Amino acid sequence: MYTTLVKGQNGALNAAEVVVSVQVAATAELSALLVTEQGKVRSDADFVFYNQPSGPGVRLRNGVAGQPAELVVSLAQVPADIAQIRAVITLDGTGATFGRIAPPVAAVADQSGNRLYEYRIEDLQHESIVIAMELYRRYGAWKVRAVGQGYAGGFAALVTDHGVSVDEPPPPPAQTPAASTPPPSAYPPPVEPTYVAPSSPATYPPPRQPHSTFPPNQQPGPVAAPPHTGNGELSRARPVNLSKGQRVTLRKEGGVALTRIRMGLGWDPAKQGGLFGRRAVNIDLDAWVALFSDRHLVDVAYYGQLTSKDGSIRHSGDNLVGGSGVGDDEQIAVDLTRVPRHVNTLLFIVTSYQGHTFEQVSNAYCRLVDDTTQAELARYALAGGMPFTAIAMAKVLRAGGEWRLEAIGEGFQAKHPGEAVPQLGRFITVE
């Protein structure tokens, strides 16, 4: 008779050899990270996965039909400086997430096949990777813990955070070293409003805190206004191809103001080879919009809060890899009639969650669509790659009682909204 674990619960392991197996209702891989007390591998040899199926005291063997391989752990052979063995489930397939399938089940059995523990991993949603269980030392004995830690970054980001070197490491920080990365976590909680100050070279970048809440309030500073450009005309038959800095007034033919618009964003993943042999390199870009009242940030609609608090903006949902084929990879719908009167700027940002730069992205664009007729009205394509992990694509601003769209296309360094928010002041003007 085995013991059923719940998240965070642990149990003793008395067997000399144990087998970790998983049941997943989708194509998946099982891997293991052997880490020290600091949560890092000693070398790449401590990462056991499909291209390196054995490590010190741990090996992969074929699982039952239709299920991932199993981890066989000879506990006595695990080096003394290894404190934990983390079992990781990774879903295969573009756009695959645990929220779309039945909860996976992880189990631990002894060398004779007798099941000792079972853990049903609940409450996963957007993640495609989960640290299912960990075997760990406590006072000289081995124990098992049910972890169920969803990981929002990609496979490469997971192993990099544990100290494994990969083919394409993230770019180094721009000026000051980043703080050590905290343990991976799921998506951040909804954003609380904050103020934005323009960035300063002396303080950028702030310490990296993935999936954290946004920075504490800061008083806004003076922002230099970008050059004013003329307004183009929108036509359903002839979409405007925008250039950097160009503006168009959000009016239909005949001068009727647009009320419901949609910003579509698209990109293709990198073309080069995979990080671990057979895997393709996916690029996880995140489109989001920041709402400003003059230079004060009011709200953000992003992957962790898909609808703005006032209900005027709706995000289509997170796309972890891009390149979904024909059509946009992510969309943000805006009902201009519901945007509060004090909000006068909607800033559309794209950040690269895993730290890939736009030099590694193909065919990135944003486009404006009349959400009533589904007609494309304007499009702005990025010409050539840029050595940045974030781009201010465009903004919609209220001026003289009407809304205008302005193409920006300016890059900066940030992987997620928490890192980007302190730098957005440069893109905000008050008319």
Side-chain angles (χ1 to χ4, degrees), residues 154-180:
F155 187 52
L158 169 73
V159 298
T160 300
D161 283 347
H162 284 82
V164 178
S165 61
V166 298
D167 296 339
E168 297 172 10
Q175 294 186 26
T176 59
S180 59

Side-chain angles (χ1 to χ4, degrees), residues 170-179 204-206 208 413 415:
Q175 294 186 26
T176 59
Y204 176 77
R208 185 183 177 211
Q413 301 292 357
K415 297 178 185 176

Side-chain angles (χ1 to χ4, degrees), residues 17-24 28-34 48-50 52-55 57-74 85-89 105-115 117 133 135:
E17 182 176 276
V18 295
V19 178
V20 179
S21 61
V22 295
Q23 293 177 300
V24 188
E29 301 280 358
L30 182 62
S31 57
L33 290 156
L34 286 69
V48 178
F49 70 117
Y50 49 81
Q52 185 170 269
S54 64
V58 181
R59 60 184 172 87
L60 283 174
R61 75 178 184 193
N62 291 335
V64 298
Q67 292 299 318
E70 300 173 337
L71 289 169
V72 180
V73 184
S74 300
I85 301 169
R86 295 175 179 172
V88 178
I89 306 172
V105 176
V108 178
D110 63 19
Q111 59 265 48
S112 300
N114 300 310
R115 183 163 292 197
Y117 297 98
M133 286 179 160
L135 311 182

Side-chain angles (χ1 to χ4, degrees), residues 257-327:
L258 287 165
T259 57
R260 301 176 70 90
I261 63 172
R262 178 162 32 91
M263 186 68 72
L265 297 106
W267 67 93
D268 288 331
K271 303 297 184 182
Q272 57 264 37
L275 288 165
F276 302 105
R278 78 186 193 208
R279 292 190 185 276
V281 178
N282 292 323
I283 306 295
D284 179 8
L285 298 186
D286 297 311
W288 48 283
V289 59
L291 293 74
F292 283 86
S293 174
D294 293 336
R295 294 184 178 89
H296 293 174
L297 181 66
V298 174
D299 198 5
V300 175
Y302 72 123
Y303 50 76
Q305 178 182 273
L306 296 179
T307 302
S308 61
K309 293 182 176 66
D310 56 58
S312 65
I313 296 178
R314 292 177 293 106
H315 193 295
S316 64
D318 195 16
N319 182 326
L320 298 180
V321 296
S324 60
V326 178

